[in-house]
Amino acid sequence: MKFFIDTANLAQIREANELGILDGVTTNPSLMAKEGIKGEAAIMNHYKTICELVDGDISAEVISTEYTAIIEEGKKLAAIHPNIVVKVPMIKDGIKAIKWFSDNGIKTNCTLVFSAGQAILAAKAGATYLSPFIGRVDDTNWDGIDLIAQIANIYSLQGFKTQILAASIRNALHIVKCAEAGADVCTCPLDSILGLLKHPLTDIGLAKFLEDAKKTA
Ligand code: E4P
């Protein structure tokens, strides 16, 4: 399973990248706004900086919702760097645009996915990645991990090539469960990635080893 970081924060992207386990980055308009990035030029420049920091696929989301406008915006985003993946919402014009991007060699990430039916449509359109939002599904008393497993089963049975990019990750356990359920990629906040490191017995064991090492010095 590939690891992407889900942020537009450059310090967090650098920290995750330095771990040596980072395969890419996802952003969305809310994450860009959180970093105070304003205006088309600043947004384009921010994506360029992220592409220079991380050698992997970088999702840049369109804010257009009409077919022609999505294509034009996506072309501009894709021109920033060869690693840009155009992130397109799961709407009717979005599906049409994903098909166009797919036919024209531009990678896509179909976002705001909450059902297996949506996953089938995105795969049929040729999406490179599909982003089911695990945490937001959980928030509605449905099981986000079950959705990943269901989509993984369908894609495997049907031979769809679209990669399942589990998004809206809230904790380290989500990452483990996504790996078990067959996600191809997990995009996570830095805290969830670092949460994978933690186990109290590791801390207790290390403290004991370091204490005993003093006896052998
Ligand atoms: C990623 O591509 C999504 O935009 C993101 O994971 C959404 O996460 P949230 O539900 O925590 O906002």
Side-chain angles (χ1 to χ4, degrees), residues 153-175:
N153 186 39
I154 291 170
Y155 279 11
S156 164
L157 285 171
Q158 300 296 332
F160 288 133
K161 299 281 177 263
T162 300
Q163 296 178 57
I164 303 168
L165 193 173
S168 188
I169 297 295
R170 301 276 167 80
N171 52 56
L173 184 59
H174 264 160
I175 302 175

Side-chain angles (χ1 to χ4, degrees), residues 89-217:
M90 166 46 75
I91 55 174
K92 194 172 173 187
D93 283 33
I95 287 296
K96 284 167 64 179
I98 286 170
K99 176 75 173 90
W100 187 91
F101 289 131
S102 168
D103 289 345
N104 287 274
I106 293 175
K107 287 180 284 187
T108 54
N109 173 357
C110 183
T111 190
L112 289 165
V113 170
F114 295 92
S115 77
Q118 292 176 325
I120 292 170
L121 261 188
K124 289 290 291 178
T128 315
Y129 295 104
L130 177 91
S131 289
F133 279 28
I134 304 312
R136 295 193 199 184
V137 171
D138 287 357
D139 290 343
T140 60
N141 282 333
W142 293 71
D143 191 333
I145 299 299
D146 280 355
L147 177 61
I148 295 291
Q150 186 186 20
I151 296 169
N153 186 39
I154 291 170
Y155 279 11
S156 164
L157 285 171
Q158 300 296 332
F160 288 133
K161 299 281 177 263
T162 300
Q163 296 178 57
I164 303 168
L165 193 173
S168 188
I169 297 295
R170 301 276 167 80
N171 52 56
L173 184 59
H174 264 160
I175 302 175
V176 174
K177 292 286 180 190
C178 283
E180 279 184 334
D184 300 288
V185 189
C186 217
T187 188
C188 326
L190 180 61
D191 281 356
S192 301
I193 298 176
L194 297 180
L196 292 170
L197 289 166
K198 290 181 193 153
H199 197 289
L201 292 180
T202 302
D203 299 338
I204 292 166
L206 181 60
K208 173 82 172 124
F209 284 155
L210 294 180
E211 192 53 38
D212 288 345
K214 287 180 196 160
K215 299 173 194 163
T216 64

Side-chain angles (χ1 to χ4, degrees), residues 5-9 25-37 43 46-47 50 58-63 85 87-88 109 111-112 131 133 136 167-169 187:
I5 187 166
D6 193 26
T7 186
N9 181 284
V25 181
T26 54
T27 61
N28 63 37
S30 305
L31 293 170
M32 294 295 272
K34 196 171 161 195
E35 298 309 313
I37 318 292
I43 290 170
H46 202 72
Y47 286 138
I50 295 173
I58 313 297
S59 285
E61 186 158 343
V62 298
I63 50 169
V85 175
K87 203 170 173 193
V88 182
N109 173 357
T111 190
L112 289 165
S131 289
F133 279 28
R136 295 193 199 184
S168 188
I169 297 295
T187 188

